Short mmCIF file of all heavy atoms in Angstrom, two decimals:
data_model
loop_
_atom_site.label_atom_id
_atom_site.label_comp_id
_atom_site.label_asym_id
_atom_site.label_seq_id
_atom_site.Cartn_x
_atom_site.Cartn_y
_atom_site.Cartn_z
N ARG A 36 130.49 39.69 72.08
CA ARG A 36 131.55 40.66 72.40
C ARG A 36 131.01 42.07 72.56
O ARG A 36 131.55 42.85 73.33
CB ARG A 36 132.63 40.62 71.32
CG ARG A 36 133.49 39.35 71.35
CD ARG A 36 134.48 39.33 70.22
NE ARG A 36 133.83 39.22 68.92
CZ ARG A 36 134.48 39.15 67.76
NH1 ARG A 36 135.80 39.17 67.75
NH2 ARG A 36 133.81 39.05 66.63
N SER A 37 129.95 42.40 71.84
CA SER A 37 129.38 43.74 71.96
C SER A 37 128.44 43.85 73.14
O SER A 37 128.03 44.97 73.51
CB SER A 37 128.63 44.09 70.67
OG SER A 37 127.58 43.16 70.44
N ILE A 38 128.09 42.74 73.76
CA ILE A 38 127.13 42.74 74.88
C ILE A 38 127.84 42.62 76.21
O ILE A 38 127.50 43.29 77.18
CB ILE A 38 126.11 41.60 74.70
CG1 ILE A 38 125.35 41.76 73.38
CG2 ILE A 38 125.15 41.56 75.86
CD1 ILE A 38 124.40 40.63 73.07
N VAL A 39 128.84 41.75 76.27
CA VAL A 39 129.55 41.51 77.53
C VAL A 39 130.61 42.58 77.72
O VAL A 39 131.47 42.79 76.86
CB VAL A 39 130.19 40.11 77.53
CG1 VAL A 39 130.94 39.87 78.83
CG2 VAL A 39 129.15 39.05 77.31
N LYS A 40 130.55 43.27 78.83
CA LYS A 40 131.50 44.32 79.18
C LYS A 40 132.19 43.93 80.49
O LYS A 40 131.58 44.00 81.55
CB LYS A 40 130.80 45.67 79.32
CG LYS A 40 130.03 46.12 78.08
CD LYS A 40 130.97 46.40 76.91
CE LYS A 40 130.20 46.92 75.70
NZ LYS A 40 131.08 47.15 74.53
N THR A 41 133.43 43.52 80.40
CA THR A 41 134.21 43.18 81.60
C THR A 41 135.53 43.92 81.55
O THR A 41 136.01 44.29 80.48
CB THR A 41 134.46 41.67 81.68
OG1 THR A 41 135.14 41.24 80.50
CG2 THR A 41 133.16 40.90 81.81
N SER A 42 136.11 44.12 82.70
CA SER A 42 137.37 44.86 82.79
C SER A 42 138.54 43.88 82.67
O SER A 42 138.44 42.70 83.02
CB SER A 42 137.46 45.62 84.11
OG SER A 42 137.52 44.72 85.20
N PHE A 43 139.67 44.41 82.22
CA PHE A 43 140.87 43.59 82.07
C PHE A 43 141.36 43.11 83.43
O PHE A 43 141.79 41.97 83.59
CB PHE A 43 141.95 44.40 81.37
CG PHE A 43 143.29 43.75 81.39
CD1 PHE A 43 143.59 42.71 80.51
CD2 PHE A 43 144.27 44.14 82.32
CE1 PHE A 43 144.84 42.10 80.52
CE2 PHE A 43 145.50 43.51 82.34
CZ PHE A 43 145.79 42.49 81.44
N ILE A 44 141.29 43.97 84.44
CA ILE A 44 141.80 43.62 85.78
C ILE A 44 140.99 42.46 86.35
O ILE A 44 141.55 41.49 86.89
CB ILE A 44 141.76 44.83 86.72
CG1 ILE A 44 142.66 45.95 86.18
CG2 ILE A 44 142.20 44.43 88.12
CD1 ILE A 44 144.11 45.57 86.05
N SER A 45 139.65 42.53 86.27
CA SER A 45 138.82 41.46 86.82
C SER A 45 139.05 40.15 86.07
O SER A 45 139.10 39.07 86.69
CB SER A 45 137.35 41.86 86.77
OG SER A 45 136.92 42.05 85.43
N ASN A 46 139.18 40.22 84.75
CA ASN A 46 139.45 39.00 83.97
C ASN A 46 140.82 38.43 84.31
O ASN A 46 140.99 37.21 84.39
CB ASN A 46 139.38 39.31 82.49
CG ASN A 46 137.97 39.60 82.02
OD1 ASN A 46 137.01 39.22 82.68
ND2 ASN A 46 137.83 40.28 80.90
N PHE A 47 141.80 39.30 84.51
CA PHE A 47 143.15 38.84 84.85
C PHE A 47 143.16 38.14 86.20
O PHE A 47 143.75 37.07 86.35
CB PHE A 47 144.10 40.04 84.86
CG PHE A 47 145.51 39.70 85.24
CD1 PHE A 47 146.38 39.15 84.31
CD2 PHE A 47 145.97 39.93 86.53
CE1 PHE A 47 147.69 38.83 84.67
CE2 PHE A 47 147.27 39.62 86.89
CZ PHE A 47 148.13 39.07 85.95
N ILE A 48 142.50 38.74 87.18
CA ILE A 48 142.44 38.13 88.52
C ILE A 48 141.70 36.80 88.49
O ILE A 48 142.14 35.79 89.06
CB ILE A 48 141.80 39.10 89.52
CG1 ILE A 48 142.67 40.35 89.69
CG2 ILE A 48 141.58 38.42 90.87
CD1 ILE A 48 142.06 41.41 90.56
N ARG A 49 140.56 36.77 87.81
CA ARG A 49 139.78 35.54 87.75
C ARG A 49 140.54 34.43 87.04
O ARG A 49 140.52 33.27 87.48
CB ARG A 49 138.46 35.80 87.03
CG ARG A 49 137.61 34.52 86.89
CD ARG A 49 136.38 34.76 86.04
NE ARG A 49 135.49 35.72 86.64
CZ ARG A 49 134.31 36.06 86.10
NH1 ARG A 49 133.94 35.54 84.93
NH2 ARG A 49 133.53 36.93 86.70
N LEU A 50 141.22 34.77 85.93
CA LEU A 50 141.96 33.77 85.19
C LEU A 50 143.06 33.15 86.03
O LEU A 50 143.24 31.92 86.05
CB LEU A 50 142.56 34.40 83.93
CG LEU A 50 143.43 33.48 83.05
CD1 LEU A 50 142.60 32.32 82.52
CD2 LEU A 50 144.03 34.26 81.88
N ASN A 51 143.79 33.96 86.77
CA ASN A 51 144.86 33.44 87.61
C ASN A 51 144.31 32.62 88.78
O ASN A 51 144.92 31.61 89.17
CB ASN A 51 145.73 34.58 88.14
CG ASN A 51 146.73 35.07 87.11
OD1 ASN A 51 147.84 34.59 87.02
ND2 ASN A 51 146.32 36.07 86.32
N MET A 52 143.18 33.02 89.32
CA MET A 52 142.56 32.24 90.39
C MET A 52 142.10 30.88 89.87
O MET A 52 142.28 29.85 90.54
CB MET A 52 141.39 33.00 90.99
CG MET A 52 141.79 34.24 91.79
SD MET A 52 140.36 35.17 92.41
CE MET A 52 139.59 33.94 93.48
N GLU A 53 141.52 30.85 88.69
CA GLU A 53 141.07 29.59 88.12
C GLU A 53 142.25 28.69 87.76
O GLU A 53 142.19 27.46 87.93
CB GLU A 53 140.20 29.85 86.88
CG GLU A 53 138.86 30.49 87.19
CD GLU A 53 138.00 29.62 88.09
OE1 GLU A 53 138.08 28.37 87.98
OE2 GLU A 53 137.27 30.19 88.93
N MET A 54 143.33 29.29 87.25
CA MET A 54 144.51 28.49 86.94
C MET A 54 145.10 27.89 88.20
O MET A 54 145.53 26.72 88.21
CB MET A 54 145.54 29.34 86.20
CG MET A 54 145.20 29.65 84.77
SD MET A 54 146.59 30.34 83.81
CE MET A 54 146.94 31.82 84.75
N ALA A 55 145.16 28.68 89.27
CA ALA A 55 145.71 28.15 90.54
C ALA A 55 144.82 27.05 91.10
O ALA A 55 145.32 26.04 91.60
CB ALA A 55 145.84 29.30 91.54
N ARG A 56 143.51 27.23 90.98
CA ARG A 56 142.60 26.22 91.52
C ARG A 56 142.68 24.92 90.71
O ARG A 56 142.71 23.83 91.28
CB ARG A 56 141.18 26.75 91.52
CG ARG A 56 140.17 25.79 92.16
CD ARG A 56 138.87 26.48 92.49
NE ARG A 56 138.24 27.06 91.32
CZ ARG A 56 137.10 27.74 91.34
NH1 ARG A 56 136.50 27.94 92.51
NH2 ARG A 56 136.58 28.23 90.24
N SER A 57 142.69 25.04 89.38
CA SER A 57 142.79 23.84 88.56
C SER A 57 144.16 23.18 88.71
O SER A 57 144.28 21.94 88.64
CB SER A 57 142.53 24.18 87.09
OG SER A 57 143.50 25.11 86.62
N ASN A 58 145.20 23.99 88.94
CA ASN A 58 146.55 23.45 89.15
C ASN A 58 146.61 22.62 90.42
O ASN A 58 147.19 21.53 90.45
CB ASN A 58 147.53 24.61 89.22
CG ASN A 58 148.86 24.25 88.62
OD1 ASN A 58 148.97 23.31 87.85
ND2 ASN A 58 149.90 24.99 88.96
N ASN A 59 146.02 23.14 91.49
CA ASN A 59 146.03 22.42 92.77
C ASN A 59 145.15 21.19 92.74
O ASN A 59 145.26 20.34 93.62
CB ASN A 59 145.60 23.36 93.89
CG ASN A 59 146.62 24.46 94.15
OD1 ASN A 59 147.80 24.27 93.93
ND2 ASN A 59 146.15 25.61 94.60
N ALA A 60 144.26 21.12 91.77
CA ALA A 60 143.37 19.95 91.68
C ALA A 60 144.06 18.74 91.07
O ALA A 60 143.53 17.64 91.12
CB ALA A 60 142.12 20.31 90.88
N LEU A 61 145.25 18.95 90.49
CA LEU A 61 145.99 17.83 89.88
C LEU A 61 146.76 17.09 90.98
O LEU A 61 147.94 17.28 91.19
CB LEU A 61 146.95 18.35 88.81
CG LEU A 61 146.30 19.12 87.65
CD1 LEU A 61 147.37 19.70 86.75
CD2 LEU A 61 145.38 18.20 86.86
N ILE A 62 146.05 16.24 91.68
CA ILE A 62 146.61 15.55 92.84
C ILE A 62 147.14 14.18 92.39
O ILE A 62 146.44 13.44 91.70
CB ILE A 62 145.55 15.36 93.92
CG1 ILE A 62 144.99 16.73 94.35
CG2 ILE A 62 146.12 14.62 95.13
CD1 ILE A 62 143.86 16.64 95.33
N PRO A 63 148.36 13.84 92.76
CA PRO A 63 148.89 12.52 92.36
C PRO A 63 148.20 11.39 93.08
O PRO A 63 147.78 11.53 94.24
CB PRO A 63 150.37 12.63 92.74
CG PRO A 63 150.42 13.63 93.85
CD PRO A 63 149.32 14.63 93.54
N ASP A 64 148.07 10.29 92.40
CA ASP A 64 147.49 9.08 93.00
C ASP A 64 148.63 8.19 93.48
O ASP A 64 149.30 7.53 92.69
CB ASP A 64 146.63 8.35 91.96
CG ASP A 64 145.86 7.18 92.58
OD1 ASP A 64 146.05 6.93 93.79
OD2 ASP A 64 145.08 6.54 91.86
N ARG A 65 148.86 8.18 94.79
CA ARG A 65 149.99 7.44 95.34
C ARG A 65 149.78 5.93 95.28
O ARG A 65 150.74 5.17 95.41
CB ARG A 65 150.21 7.86 96.80
CG ARG A 65 150.55 9.34 96.96
CD ARG A 65 151.85 9.69 96.27
NE ARG A 65 152.22 11.08 96.44
CZ ARG A 65 153.26 11.67 95.89
NH1 ARG A 65 154.06 10.95 95.11
NH2 ARG A 65 153.54 12.95 96.09
N ASP A 66 148.55 5.51 95.09
CA ASP A 66 148.27 4.07 95.01
C ASP A 66 148.46 3.52 93.61
O ASP A 66 148.34 2.32 93.40
CB ASP A 66 146.84 3.79 95.46
CG ASP A 66 146.61 4.18 96.92
OD1 ASP A 66 147.58 4.10 97.69
OD2 ASP A 66 145.47 4.57 97.26
N LYS A 67 148.76 4.36 92.66
CA LYS A 67 148.89 3.94 91.27
C LYS A 67 150.23 4.39 90.73
O LYS A 67 150.61 5.55 90.87
CB LYS A 67 147.75 4.53 90.44
CG LYS A 67 147.80 4.16 88.97
CD LYS A 67 146.65 4.81 88.21
CE LYS A 67 146.70 4.50 86.72
NZ LYS A 67 145.62 5.15 85.98
N TYR A 68 150.95 3.47 90.12
CA TYR A 68 152.26 3.81 89.55
C TYR A 68 152.07 4.63 88.27
O TYR A 68 151.25 4.29 87.42
CB TYR A 68 153.06 2.55 89.23
CG TYR A 68 154.28 2.81 88.38
CD1 TYR A 68 155.39 3.46 88.90
CD2 TYR A 68 154.31 2.43 87.03
CE1 TYR A 68 156.51 3.72 88.12
CE2 TYR A 68 155.42 2.68 86.26
CZ TYR A 68 156.51 3.33 86.81
OH TYR A 68 157.61 3.59 86.03
N ASN A 69 152.84 5.70 88.15
CA ASN A 69 152.81 6.54 86.96
C ASN A 69 154.24 6.87 86.60
O ASN A 69 154.95 7.53 87.37
CB ASN A 69 152.00 7.82 87.21
CG ASN A 69 151.69 8.57 85.95
OD1 ASN A 69 152.50 8.59 85.01
ND2 ASN A 69 150.52 9.18 85.89
N HIS A 70 154.68 6.42 85.44
CA HIS A 70 156.09 6.61 85.05
C HIS A 70 156.39 8.05 84.65
O HIS A 70 157.54 8.39 84.37
CB HIS A 70 156.44 5.67 83.89
CG HIS A 70 155.72 5.97 82.63
ND1 HIS A 70 154.46 5.49 82.36
CD2 HIS A 70 156.05 6.71 81.53
CE1 HIS A 70 154.07 5.91 81.18
NE2 HIS A 70 155.01 6.66 80.66
N LEU A 71 155.36 8.91 84.59
CA LEU A 71 155.60 10.30 84.21
C LEU A 71 155.88 11.19 85.41
O LEU A 71 156.62 12.16 85.31
CB LEU A 71 154.37 10.86 83.45
CG LEU A 71 153.99 10.13 82.16
CD1 LEU A 71 152.73 10.76 81.57
CD2 LEU A 71 155.12 10.17 81.15
N GLU A 72 155.30 10.89 86.55
CA GLU A 72 155.40 11.75 87.71
C GLU A 72 156.70 11.50 88.47
O GLU A 72 157.29 10.41 88.37
CB GLU A 72 154.21 11.51 88.64
CG GLU A 72 152.86 11.73 87.98
CD GLU A 72 151.71 11.22 88.83
OE1 GLU A 72 151.98 10.80 89.98
OE2 GLU A 72 150.55 11.23 88.36
N SER A 73 157.14 12.51 89.22
CA SER A 73 158.32 12.36 90.06
C SER A 73 158.25 13.40 91.17
O SER A 73 157.63 14.46 91.02
CB SER A 73 159.61 12.53 89.25
OG SER A 73 159.63 13.78 88.59
N ASP A 74 158.89 13.11 92.28
CA ASP A 74 158.89 14.01 93.44
C ASP A 74 160.06 14.98 93.35
O ASP A 74 161.11 14.67 92.76
CB ASP A 74 158.98 13.20 94.73
CG ASP A 74 157.71 12.38 94.98
OD1 ASP A 74 156.63 12.86 94.63
OD2 ASP A 74 157.84 11.24 95.49
N PRO A 75 159.92 16.17 93.94
CA PRO A 75 160.98 17.18 93.83
C PRO A 75 162.33 16.73 94.34
O PRO A 75 163.37 17.18 93.81
CB PRO A 75 160.42 18.36 94.66
CG PRO A 75 158.95 18.19 94.60
CD PRO A 75 158.72 16.71 94.59
N TRP A 76 162.37 15.88 95.36
CA TRP A 76 163.68 15.48 95.92
C TRP A 76 164.53 14.75 94.90
O TRP A 76 165.77 14.73 94.98
CB TRP A 76 163.47 14.60 97.14
CG TRP A 76 162.84 13.27 96.85
CD1 TRP A 76 161.52 12.95 96.92
CD2 TRP A 76 163.52 12.07 96.41
NE1 TRP A 76 161.31 11.63 96.56
CE2 TRP A 76 162.52 11.07 96.26
CE3 TRP A 76 164.84 11.73 96.15
CZ2 TRP A 76 162.81 9.78 95.85
CZ3 TRP A 76 165.14 10.45 95.73
CH2 TRP A 76 164.14 9.50 95.59
N SER A 77 163.89 14.15 93.89
CA SER A 77 164.64 13.34 92.91
C SER A 77 165.13 14.13 91.73
O SER A 77 165.95 13.62 90.95
CB SER A 77 163.74 12.20 92.41
OG SER A 77 162.64 12.70 91.68
#
């Protein structure tokens, strides 16, 4: 903590970019039934 110096703005932007990227990586497997998932129309 005393060595690494980063700004709040850069950390905030990076965190949101990583969250968006990891969020979009959660792709449903249409070939496999999953009782937890559901489509928005339903």
Side-chain angles (χ1 to χ4, degrees):
R36 288 177 293 181
S37 60
I38 301 175
V39 180
K40 303 294 183 182
T41 58
S42 66
F43 170 79
I44 299 299
S45 62
N46 290 339
F47 178 80
I48 295 175
R49 177 187 297 182
L50 178 62
N51 280 271
M52 291 177 62
E53 291 299 326
M54 286 193 300
R56 184 165 59 181
S57 61
N58 214 20
N59 292 331
L61 300 174
I62 302 175
D64 188 357
R65 299 298 182 183
D66 297 329
K67 179 181 178 181
Y68 168 72
N69 192 325
H70 65 276
L71 301 178
E72 303 169 5
S73 57
D74 293 325
W76 66 266
S77 66

